[in-house]
Amino acid sequence: MKPLNQQPAASSAAAPAIEASASEGPQLAATALLPLETQQQPAFDWCTALLANEGAGRNARLRCRNWLTIGRWSGNVDIAARVADKLVENAVQHGKPFADGRIPLRLIVTADTHELLVEVDDAYPEFPGFEKVANQSGRATGKPTGLWWVAHYRGRLSWGVMRDDVGAIVGKTVQAILPVD
């Protein structure tokens, strides 16, 4: 299944499914909706769900630093942590948390190119202004904010809708792909 809007992706990886109990919200199985499929297992993957509050971005940054170091990702861990921070912060400010009040975050290192996929889910199935955000220059023209950091670090941004087991739209996944160098 292809997302409604996307930037071309040079790498391939599949996002792991996030399982939630009935009390935590909708079942989010088989949510690899972005055009990044592969038959290979990723070199590294990690996921968590962060409480959607004012500290969610900082929490994402701290956790990413630790897990990418443990996973021995050969890219710039500080850059990746900043991008994860901004994706989570964007989901909290402009998206909607799931019924459990959380925003899922995944880090996936592709086996072939070792690029890092930073994926954040939220329960708001639209991404107004995506084209403008995805096509911005990496050059600062004022105070840098939000998803500008993806372009600044030569990352690629895409998004897709999330569907539950019966095909109903339950939210979206926003993905940033970061190069190793």
Side-chain angles (χ1 to χ4, degrees), residues 2 6 18 68 72 74-75 77 80 95 105 135 163 171:
K2 292 184 87 172
Q6 63 193 15
I18 293 181
L68 289 173
R72 297 183 181 163
S74 55
V77 171
L105 164 67
N135 292 315
R163 296 180 185 271

Side-chain angles (χ1 to χ4, degrees), residues 3-180:
L4 297 175
N5 298 303
Q6 63 193 15
Q7 287 292 89
S11 69
S12 318
I18 293 181
E19 299 292 332
S21 70
S23 65
E24 293 178 338
Q27 286 287 330
L28 303 176
T31 60
L33 303 176
L34 299 168
L36 303 166
E37 300 176 31
T38 185
Q39 303 304 326
Q40 299 178 17
Q41 289 290 339
F44 173 80
D45 64 50
W46 173 78
C47 64
T48 190
L50 303 167
L51 191 59
N53 62 20
E54 67 281 346
R58 288 186 309 274
N59 193 358
R61 186 183 290 215
L62 292 171
R63 290 181 182 211
C64 286
R65 281 189 182 129
N66 289 336
W67 282 103
L68 289 173
T69 301
I70 290 167
R72 297 183 181 163
W73 184 54
S74 55
N76 187 315
V77 171
D78 288 330
I79 287 173
R82 176 174 291 214
V83 168
D85 170 344
K86 298 307 178 187
L87 259 64
V88 168
E89 192 174 90
N90 194 65
V92 170
Q93 290 178 1
H94 304 290
K96 177 180 163 189
F98 288 99
D100 64 356
R102 297 185 177 273
I103 301 287
L105 164 67
R106 287 181 300 283
L107 303 175
I108 303 163
V109 176
T110 63
D112 53 352
T113 64
H114 299 286
E115 290 178 311
L116 176 65
L117 302 139
V118 181
E119 297 181 346
V120 175
D121 302 332
D122 71 76
Y124 183 62
E126 298 175 19
F127 194 137
F130 173 76
E131 293 299 322
K132 182 179 178 185
V133 172
N135 292 315
Q136 53 189 326
S137 163
R139 284 179 261 125
T141 57
K143 183 181 179 206
T145 59
L147 298 181
W148 171 85
W149 289 99
V150 175
H152 178 68
Y153 293 129
R154 298 184 351 255
R156 298 179 312 276
L157 193 64
S158 64
W159 78 282
V161 297
M162 294 179 63
R163 296 180 185 271
D164 65 11
D165 290 338
V166 295
I169 295 174
V170 296
K172 72 175 170 293
T173 298
V174 177
Q175 179 187 71
I177 304 168
L178 297 175
V180 173

